[in-house]
Amino acid sequence: MYTREQVSKIKQEFWTTFGQYMAPQYGADGQKVNWINYKTGYRGLYFRMEADNKQAYIGIVLQQKDADLRTLFWEQLEELRNPLHGMLEEEWQWEPLAYNEYGQAYSHASTTLRPANIYQREGWAEIITFFKQRILLLDEFWSVAQYHFEPLKYL
């Protein structure tokens, strides 16, 4: 077992390593991107990457507090399901309603790598490759798809 401090340190080291690995990569529009904290430009719409001792997860997460607004974003995202899967060359899982550990509702389209263990450094290369391939493709997808959400930008 790891202490809370050890867990925090290992996660920080992993994400620092991933950030350094991704730093030379420019976005689809030719700009520098903070890949770990990707900015979509839309409140409540995130590209999330997470890893623990069982899996690595990457997804498009909708966390608008207003359920009706989240539903509108979800409907827009669903219209882009086929183009997204085509860009990624894989099918993701789609969940219109889920709850986090705090009971807050969200929606997401995601994929996972199992097994994956962030606490075993020898597995980092596989996790980093998993994240890199998908976040670069998500960025390429988003460079065009973001305009589909334009009517919702200021709601």
Side-chain angles (χ1 to χ4, degrees), residues 12-71:
Q12 182 178 8
E13 288 175 9
F14 173 81
W15 290 111
T16 298
T17 300
F18 179 73
Q20 290 169 340
Y21 185 75
M22 294 296 294
Q25 300 290 325
Y26 285 86
D29 296 330
Q31 78 286 4
K32 288 288 274 179
V33 175
N34 180 342
W35 296 104
I36 296 168
N37 294 310
Y38 190 95
K39 304 288 185 213
T40 65
Y42 289 81
R43 177 175 282 147
L45 192 157
Y46 307 100
F47 294 169
R48 289 271 160 80
M49 295 178 283
E50 299 172 1
D52 59 24
N53 63 343
K54 294 182 177 81
Q55 66 183 12
Y57 163 98
I58 185 168
I60 303 170
V61 179
L62 305 175
Q63 288 184 303
Q64 293 80 7
K65 291 179 184 177
D66 180 282
D68 292 333
L69 183 59
R70 188 175 55 256
T71 299

Side-chain angles (χ1 to χ4, degrees), residues 18-153:
F18 179 73
Q20 290 169 340
Y21 185 75
M22 294 296 294
Q25 300 290 325
Y26 285 86
D29 296 330
Q31 78 286 4
K32 288 288 274 179
V33 175
N34 180 342
W35 296 104
I36 296 168
N37 294 310
Y38 190 95
K39 304 288 185 213
T40 65
Y42 289 81
R43 177 175 282 147
L45 192 157
Y46 307 100
F47 294 169
R48 289 271 160 80
M49 295 178 283
E50 299 172 1
D52 59 24
N53 63 343
K54 294 182 177 81
Q55 66 183 12
Y57 163 98
I58 185 168
I60 303 170
V61 179
L62 305 175
Q63 288 184 303
Q64 293 80 7
K65 291 179 184 177
D66 180 282
D68 292 333
L69 183 59
R70 188 175 55 256
T71 299
L72 289 173
F73 270 88
W74 180 255
E75 289 169 356
Q76 294 296 97
L77 183 60
E78 282 230 296
E79 289 179 10
L80 299 171
R81 182 189 292 231
N82 289 335
L84 175 64
H85 287 172
M87 177 80 60
L88 295 166
E89 297 182 356
E90 65 184 5
E91 294 211 7
W92 283 19
Q93 294 77 42
W94 293 69
E95 193 168 3
L97 183 61
Y99 294 91
N100 67 19
E101 62 271 17
Y102 305 108
Q104 298 165 326
Y106 69 98
S107 306
H108 68 121
S110 63
T111 191
T112 56
L113 171 66
R114 288 187 192 108
N117 189 341
I118 195 174
Y119 306 113
Q120 295 176 343
R121 292 181 197 280
E122 61 272 10
W124 283 10
E126 182 180 14
I127 297 169
I128 287 171
T129 299
F130 172 77
F131 284 148
K132 178 185 177 186
Q133 291 171 345
R134 286 157 184 85
I135 195 68
L136 289 173
L137 289 170
L138 275 178
D139 175 64
E140 188 176 335
F141 167 77
W142 191 245
S143 71
V144 175
Q146 64 182 316
Y147 303 107
H148 192 71
F149 292 84
E150 195 72 28
L152 304 176
K153 187 148 189 155

